[in-house]
Amino acid sequence: MLGPRPLAARKGRGAVSNLQGRYEFNGREEFDDGWEREEDEAAGIKTVVTDEHAKSILSRNASPDIPFKVSLNPYRGCEHGCIYCFARPTHSYLGLSPGLDFESRLFAKVNAAELLRRELAKPGYVPEHIALGVNTDAYQPCERELRLTRQVLEVLSECRHPVGLITKSSLIERDIDLIAPMAEKNLACAAITLTTLDPEIARTLEPRAAAPARRLRTIRTLAEAGIPVSVSVAPIIPFVTEPEIERILEAALEAGAIGAHYVVLRLPHEVNPLFQEWLQAHFPERAQRVMNRVRDLRGGKDYDSDFGKRMHGEGVWADLIRQRFSKAVDRLGMGEFRGRFGRLDGSQFRKPLVVPPRPSPAAGKSGGGNAAGQLDLF
């Protein structure tokens, strides 16, 4: 008897389904009617990148448990396909699935650098360090051709604006020529996310991100270029990546990381069912055990979004993880990076030399306007 398609891992993808987003009006469910062609399945799901002309580029938050107030994300969606990504639910706002759509139907904010110039040129702008690539990785594969992140860095470098970068991609090495001089002026720092040292786990958990060994090499390359680097051990997943905490920190220190921070697994909105599907597909024998421990960390729930709890959890097991992490950081001498992001120097800021004119409906129709922008008189 035919019925729902069984859960199965998809090569090169993190999600195992195109779970319905919570804002979709029409319900849908995968159903195996026997007509699926093997060649279609083998072809896989292709990545499509759509240009987006954003209306704004800087996002601001007032969260007390986040070490930055301003962030910039050049892309929506992320091809890395990390199953745990807390940004997956944002694709629901676009009428798309937080599952496979999130990692295959991407949007590139092609006017990111232009919008940033206008923002920095505002008369009342006060420089605060910008976190680059927080929701989605600013160095995901399509950045290699589109170079939006590099364009943003060029603006920040020109304006001597402080920036902190976080990524799990080795592509960041391409921009060392911009980041290293900024770091020398205390204007830039970087963090590399290292979730696991096991390449087999990484291949399913973060299927299109750099392999763990390659990320360690990136830490070393950045450190040797004089860029202060920390390691982000995130997320810590009970019984999957949690046993590796100390080994990850030791490997990162050996590569040149001078600091570390961590976040325990977060399962907001659609991330919860997507992650549980992933568990059943890859670790069915320990799926229930993992979720039981997740609930131990969340006061009996799958997730608790309260400030002070959402990043590190609560209870006995949360305290145990905190103690293990803190003791390892202290033993390894990796406490230097604590608070460094907030200590980046904003006093050197200068307004952009060139400010693009704001597009007008008339200019858009006639094709007029100064494409090169205009000089800032002040």
Side-chain angles (χ1 to χ4, degrees):
M1 180 178 178
L2 299 176
R5 190 189 306 276
L7 291 174
R10 296 174 184 259
K11 185 177 180 181
R13 297 296 179 184
V16 298
S17 76
N18 231 1
L19 183 80
Q20 181 176 341
R22 62 191 185 283
Y23 298 119
E24 293 185 48
F25 290 105
N26 299 318
R28 50 188 168 82
E29 181 177 318
E30 283 199 14
F31 188 86
D32 186 0
D33 59 3
W35 286 92
E36 185 72 22
R37 296 183 300 174
E38 291 184 7
E39 56 267 30
D40 289 344
E41 186 68 24
I45 298 172
K46 294 184 179 180
T47 301
V48 177
V49 182
T50 302
D51 288 355
E52 175 186 351
H53 290 270
K55 295 182 178 178
S56 62
I57 198 61
L58 295 182
S59 300
R60 291 176 168 82
N61 76 83
S63 303
D65 54 358
I66 297 179
F68 56 85
K69 301 297 183 185
V70 186
S71 60
L72 191 157
N73 298 283
Y75 301 99
R76 294 179 192 258
C78 185
E79 194 176 2
H80 283 162
C82 307
I83 190 58
Y84 54 75
C85 182
F86 66 87
R88 282 184 177 272
T90 61
H91 248 45
S92 295
Y93 294 109
L94 304 175
L96 299 172
S97 171
L100 292 167
D101 282 349
F102 176 80
E103 51 196 273
S104 62
R105 298 180 65 178
L106 314 178
F107 297 84
K109 301 174 186 177
V110 293
N111 59 338
E114 177 184 326
L115 288 175
L116 180 60
R117 281 188 179 276
R118 287 197 208 127
E119 186 71 25
L120 301 187
K122 288 181 179 178
Y125 180 79
V126 178
E128 290 188 80
H129 51 269
I130 293 174
L132 181 54
V134 178
N135 270 13
T136 55
D137 204 309
Y139 286 103
Q140 57 181 288
C142 61
E143 166 63 16
R144 193 173 300 277
E145 287 75 37
L146 297 179
R147 301 171 72 86
L148 301 182
T149 299
R150 182 169 179 89
Q151 292 170 23
V152 166
L153 278 174
E154 288 170 345
V155 174
L156 295 174
S157 175
E158 173 192 320
C159 296
R160 298 177 184 172
H161 195 295
V163 62
L165 303 103
I166 183 165
T167 183
K168 51 175 68 77
S169 171
S170 60
L171 184 57
I172 189 175
E173 297 172 3
R174 178 199 65 187
D175 294 337
I176 284 178
D177 63 314
L178 292 172
I179 304 169
M182 294 181 72
E184 189 175 2
K185 299 182 182 73
N186 193 27
L187 292 173
C189 60
I192 302 298
T193 301
L194 190 56
T195 314
T196 177
L197 297 176
D198 187 328
E200 293 299 322
I201 293 178
R203 192 172 293 117
T204 63
L205 192 65
E206 308 156 328
R208 298 199 177 194
R214 185 66 182 89
R215 292 184 223 181
L216 288 170
R217 196 166 71 188
T218 296
I219 291 175
R220 186 179 304 281
T221 302
L222 294 175
E224 289 176 349
I227 301 168
V229 190
S230 68
V231 61
S232 174
V233 186
I236 293 177
I237 304 174
F239 305 120
V240 179
T241 66
E242 163 264 322
E244 301 181 69
I245 292 175
E246 291 81 4
R247 296 199 301 276
I248 291 173
L249 291 172
E250 290 165 0
L253 175 69
E254 184 180 355
I258 61 173
H261 64 276
Y262 78 95
V263 177
V264 298
L265 178 67
R266 298 169 56 191
L267 298 177
H269 303 298
E270 294 94 339
V271 181
N272 187 4
L274 285 167
F275 178 77
Q276 292 199 50
E277 288 178 354
W278 177 87
L279 271 179
Q280 290 293 340
H282 295 283
F283 296 101
E285 76 289 348
R286 71 178 88 165
Q288 191 59 55
R289 189 182 181 203
V290 171
M291 289 308 301
N292 286 343
R293 183 56 50 84
V294 167
R295 294 173 186 125
D296 287 339
L297 291 164
R298 301 296 184 185
K301 298 180 288 186
D302 288 358
Y303 183 56
D304 187 344
S305 61
D306 287 351
F307 295 136
K309 297 178 182 178
R310 60 177 183 166
M311 298 299 186
H312 298 151
E314 62 176 330
V316 174
W317 292 108
D319 288 342
L320 179 60
I321 290 174
R322 176 182 54 78
Q323 290 178 35
R324 285 176 58 192
F325 195 90
S326 297
K327 288 181 181 298
V329 165
D330 291 340
R331 171 172 57 84
L332 298 170
M334 298 179 72
E336 181 182 345
F337 207 84
R338 289 184 182 129
R340 179 178 290 269
F341 192 82
R343 296 200 304 269
L344 293 175
D345 185 9
S347 66
Q348 304 174 54
F349 173 72
R350 59 186 182 184
K351 290 186 178 296
L353 298 175
V354 176
V355 184
R358 292 186 178 277
S360 65
K365 291 177 182 178
S366 64
N370 180 8
Q374 60 189 22
L375 291 177
D376 185 348
L377 297 179
F378 306 99

